[in-house]
């Protein structure tokens, strides 16, 4: 883990921004968007959280939708999920701007890896269509879904190679990084909940990503959608240095009790933070050094700095991601 001073120097690190030293041997994770689908505030939502953040009340900050960026060399970045807010996220992130010396078309975004085919994770791809060359990684199952939706043909094969992530084996991606995809409990994307596919996830519908930098051994896990921590997942995460994990809901029925939806977290394929089957309980014995909630729904009380729920998750050793959060490994 790098200290606050090193983090503070970061903005000057990339040679083309500040003339500093390249990142070299440090992997860097940036949270582009920390909210779940809909963002915070959500356009049509009048819940207390959304109303208060809209009104600028202290103790709540706006958040864009679910995405991370990661780099090993400080020059080439891999996006983990492509949210509908991607244009705004790139604009807010100087390290993702074109290099001044990069020619007429240039971007440090070398690859995008997806954890599922959910709207909040794939629609940003449509904003990467302006002739940007990158490699798109996803499970074979998610690639099939994209192939079946012809709007994604705007990503021409001349610019965008689509590569299936094998499950269980690491695959080298850009910038000295490798990604190992693995299945996690979940469900198919909402728009695929039809008679053919049903609710139950097939292999690859929802995956976790272990991103590593083989040269240094640094690694972290990214799991923004997960219905539960089973024995296989617990074993995989035990002893990890860093896990960014599904923080959609605090309680399984919070959307129902707030009159926002008729669906429970379990019905949506999301584990809750609290409760005997929740993520705080599941991680209690896993010895994960740093655990950070991402994909936080606007209904979640942990979004309020002064809430007892926020105090609870902090006591359990969790951090709440925010847009722009940087984590060095
Ligand atoms: C989810 O996280 O459950 C999905 O993003 C929901 C949706 O597609 O709106
Ligand atoms: Mn989502
Ligand atoms: Zn809301």
């Amino acid at each position: 883990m790098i200290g606050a001073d090193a983090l503070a120097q970061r903005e000057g690190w990339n040679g083309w921004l500040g003339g500093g030293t390249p990142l070299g041997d440090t992997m860097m994770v940036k949270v582009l968007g920390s909210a779940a689908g809909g963002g915070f505030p959500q356009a049509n939502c009048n819940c207390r959280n959304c109303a208060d953040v809209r009104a600028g009340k202290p103790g709540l900050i706006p958040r864009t939708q679910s995405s991370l960026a990661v780099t090993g060399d400080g020059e080439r970045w891999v996006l983990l999920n492509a949210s509908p807010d991607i244009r705004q996220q790139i604009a807010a992130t100087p390290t993702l701007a074109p290099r001044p010396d990069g020619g007429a078309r240039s971007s440090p975004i070398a690859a995008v890896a997806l954890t599922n085919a959910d709207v909040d994770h794939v629609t940003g791809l449509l904003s990467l269509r302006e002739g940007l060359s990158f490699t798109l990684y996803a499970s074979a199952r998610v690639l099939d879904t994209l192939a079946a939706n012809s709007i994604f043909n705007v990503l021409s094969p001349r610019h965008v190679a689509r590569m299936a992530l094998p499950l269980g084996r690491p695959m080298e991606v850009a910038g000295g990084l490798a990604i190992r995809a693995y299945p996690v409990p979940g469900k198919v994307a909402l728009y695929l909940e039809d008679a053919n596919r049903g609710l139950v996830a097939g292999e690859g519908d929802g995956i976790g990503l272990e991103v590593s930098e083989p040269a240094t051994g640094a690694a972290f896990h990214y799991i923004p959608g997960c219905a539960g921590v089973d024995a296989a997942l617990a074993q995989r995460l035990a002893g990890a240095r860093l896990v960014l994990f599904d923080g959609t809901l605090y309680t399984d029925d919070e959307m129902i009790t707030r009159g926002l939806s008729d669906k429970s977290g379990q019905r949506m394929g999301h584990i809750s933070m609290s409760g005997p089957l929740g993520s705080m309980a599941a991680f209690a014995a896993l010895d994960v050094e740093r655990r950070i909630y991402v994909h936080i729904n606007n209904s979640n009380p942990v979004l309020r700095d002064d809430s007892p729920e926020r105090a609870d998750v902090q006591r359990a050793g969790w951090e709440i991601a925010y847009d722009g959060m940087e984590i060095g490994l």
Side-chain angles (χ1 to χ4, degrees), residues 11-322:
E11 292 310 321
W13 268 30
N14 297 287
W16 43 274
L17 272 183
T21 330
L23 273 174
D25 61 359
T26 308
M27 180 157 61
M28 170 77 158
V29 184
K30 248 189 125 115
V31 177
L32 299 182
S34 52
F40 186 51
Q42 177 173 309
N44 65 342
C45 191
N46 250 331
C47 78
R48 181 166 164 249
N49 282 350
C50 285
D52 284 352
V53 75
R54 207 175 275 124
K57 291 227 173 116
L60 302 94
I61 48 171
R63 289 171 154 87
T64 63
Q65 293 167 83
S66 180
S67 175
L68 305 183
V70 56
T71 187
D73 61 11
E75 304 231 332
R76 286 163 298 170
W77 288 78
V78 180
L79 302 191
L80 307 182
N81 289 322
S83 98
D85 300 320
I86 194 168
R87 183 182 169 281
Q88 178 189 348
Q89 292 167 342
I90 292 172
T93 310
T95 46
L96 296 180
R99 298 174 58 128
D101 60 355
R105 287 278 193 265
S106 151
S107 172
I109 298 169
V112 179
L114 306 175
T115 59
N116 57 30
D118 284 2
V119 167
D120 55 349
H121 288 157
V122 303
T123 49
L125 292 171
L126 301 175
S127 299
L128 296 179
R129 71 189 177 284
E130 321 281 357
L132 173 64
S133 290
F134 65 95
T135 307
L136 176 60
Y137 298 94
S139 69
R141 185 116 162 148
V142 166
L143 289 182
D144 283 350
T145 296
L146 298 181
N149 282 273
S150 56
I151 194 170
F152 291 102
N153 293 346
V154 295
L155 299 177
S156 143
R158 280 194 300 126
H159 298 293
V160 181
R162 303 184 188 194
M163 306 269 286
L165 287 168
L167 295 182
R169 275 182 294 120
M171 184 177 205
E172 233 178 86
V173 298
L177 299 179
I179 292 182
R180 184 203 309 267
Y182 50 85
V184 295
K187 78 161 185 64
V188 288
L190 188 57
Y191 60 91
L192 295 172
E193 286 182 8
D194 57 20
N196 293 327
R197 261 168 117 166
L199 284 182
V200 180
E203 193 172 75
D205 272 328
I207 55 177
L209 302 177
E210 181 184 11
V211 183
S212 61
E213 189 177 32
T216 62
F220 71 96
H221 293 263
Y222 173 53
I223 312 171
C226 183
V229 179
D230 59 13
L233 183 57
Q235 191 179 10
R236 203 181 279 284
L237 299 182
R241 274 175 75 185
L242 170 67
V243 179
L244 295 118
F245 193 76
D246 186 336
T248 310
L249 303 175
Y250 185 79
T251 40
D252 190 57
D253 64 355
E254 87 191 27
M255 304 274 293
I256 302 170
T257 57
R258 283 158 210 248
L260 304 173
S261 163
D262 55 8
K263 286 184 186 169
S264 67
Q266 277 306 300
R267 171 63 184 79
M268 294 188 292
H270 293 292
I271 188 174
S272 51
M273 296 175 173
S274 63
L277 295 175
S279 51
M280 284 191 284
F283 274 68
L286 291 187
D287 191 29
V288 172
E289 194 177 316
R290 199 166 171 193
R291 52 195 87 167
I292 303 177
Y293 281 125
V294 292
H295 192 277
I296 305 159
N297 196 58
N298 57 75
S299 58
N300 195 320
V302 304
L303 290 173
R304 312 181 75 88
D305 283 354
D306 61 357
S307 66
E309 293 86 354
R310 168 75 72 96
D312 264 0
V313 301
Q314 284 175 335
R315 250 194 314 274
W318 286 85
E319 297 169 68
I320 304 296
Y322 51 88

Side-chain angles (χ1 to χ4, degrees), residues 2-13 28 290 326-328:
I2 65 166
D5 288 348
L7 273 179
Q9 288 167 15
R10 256 334 141 112
E11 292 310 321
W13 268 30
M28 170 77 158
R290 199 166 171 193
E326 295 181 333
I327 308 135

